[in-house]
Amino acid sequence: MIRLPMVRYVLTGFVIFLVCAIIFAPAGLIDRVIDNQPGVALTDTRGTLWQGTGNISVEVNRNTQLNGTLSWDFNWLSLISLAPTYQWTLSRSDVSLSGTAGVTTSGQVMGVQGNLEAAVLNEFLAIYYIVLSGDFSISPSKILRAHHGQITDIQGQIDWSGGRVRYTLAGILHEAQLPAMTAYLEPNASRQPAATVFAQGGSTPLIIASIGENGFVKVGMTKLFTKLLRTPWPGSDPDHAVVLEVEEQLL
């Protein structure tokens, strides 16, 4: 017959072992979660699943990757609301971002804020023959991605200091000095995640972008923006009219 105290000791030992295994779960376990995201890899992890650091790499295109140091810290209080959430920071010489990443009944929620230099975006824009200068500042912003993978909501604001921009149009290199701009992130009238860009202090939109189904991103430029680029669109369209529009599957 097994004595009751013996059972109690065994159960207590098992509980302690289980708790320790959870608390001290190696940071390498988070690799598997991140590696399931297309174009993203996490290596050289240190710490635990709940608090640690690692080197993250994001594929921009076939020939370019963005690398940085990712740190994470689990928010245990988030379990009270049944929405487990991590605090994270991403840093490198030209990037300083932080925010949250969690899961709700609606999908994956990410919060982000911080600063980055235009050089970071230029690595992505290079395939479009666009080069920016200046700095970007992201106010506390939120992105909601549904469980099926589609971005369904976006809220926030991005400010650009303005500066020199170079671009190629019809094989000809152009250059212009653009003013400081602000992008307001919020759903449009069709409830699609969208961004509307204005010159700071201005009331006429310059760029209107939206994310549609299956990850297609549509970007429209108004007549006023073509004027700022020093390649004004001909005709009698009002400044707020979208005169150029491109669409591509990016997400």
Side-chain angles (χ1 to χ4, degrees):
M1 178 180 297
I2 300 177
R3 297 181 179 179
L4 185 59
M6 178 74 71
V7 174
R8 185 182 301 121
Y9 292 148
V10 172
L11 290 177
T12 301
F14 176 76
V15 171
I16 293 174
F17 169 79
L18 184 60
V19 170
C20 289
I22 293 174
I23 293 177
F24 298 107
L29 291 177
I30 205 167
D31 296 9
R32 302 176 185 178
V33 177
I34 291 182
D35 288 347
N36 285 332
Q37 307 301 316
V40 182
L42 184 66
T43 59
D44 194 23
T45 53
R46 299 170 295 279
T48 69
L49 177 65
W50 314 108
Q51 184 180 52
T53 62
N55 297 326
I56 192 167
S57 175
V58 180
E59 182 179 336
V60 176
N61 53 52
R62 293 180 179 178
N63 302 314
T64 306
Q65 291 183 333
L66 294 178
N67 303 301
T69 300
L70 178 69
S71 303
W72 62 89
D73 190 359
F74 186 71
N75 179 7
W76 293 96
L77 292 178
S78 64
L79 294 176
I80 298 176
S81 59
L82 301 180
T85 302
Y86 279 88
Q87 303 284 337
W88 61 267
T89 61
L90 175 63
S91 59
R92 53 182 256 180
S93 60
D94 47 8
V95 176
S96 178
L97 298 175
S98 63
T100 59
V103 179
T104 69
T105 55
S106 301
Q108 305 165 9
V109 180
M110 173 172 284
V112 60
Q113 62 183 1
N115 304 284
L116 65 155
E117 297 177 10
V120 179
L121 295 181
N122 286 339
E123 296 187 50
F124 168 75
L125 295 173
I127 61 175
Y128 302 103
Y129 305 101
I130 298 173
V131 179
L132 301 176
S133 60
D135 300 303
F136 289 83
S137 176
I138 305 175
S139 301
S141 302
K142 182 185 72 173
I143 301 171
L144 175 62
R145 185 178 182 180
H147 292 299
H148 54 71
Q150 182 178 341
I151 294 177
T152 57
D153 191 19
I154 188 168
Q155 302 281 346
Q157 178 178 321
I158 302 175
D159 294 292
W160 177 48
S161 63
R164 213 74 183 165
V165 57
R166 296 197 305 272
Y167 63 99
T168 300
L169 183 63
I172 300 175
L173 179 64
H174 297 267
E175 189 170 339
Q177 179 73 28
L178 295 179
M181 300 181 185
T182 297
Y184 297 98
L185 313 177
E186 58 185 359
N188 59 21
S190 301
R191 304 307 301 167
Q192 295 174 320
T196 306
V197 181
F198 297 85
Q200 290 184 6
S203 57
T204 302
L206 303 176
I207 302 172
I208 301 173
S210 62
I211 303 174
E213 295 182 0
N214 301 320
F216 278 89
V217 177
K218 182 185 295 184
V219 179
M221 292 169 279
T222 67
K223 185 172 183 178
L224 178 58
F225 189 55
T226 66
K227 292 179 180 178
L228 294 178
L229 290 174
R230 298 171 59 184
T231 52
W233 189 264
S236 57
D237 300 285
D239 282 349
H240 67 269
V242 174
V243 294
L244 284 172
E245 194 169 59
V246 294
E247 186 174 14
E248 186 174 349
Q249 187 172 21
L250 297 178
L251 303 174

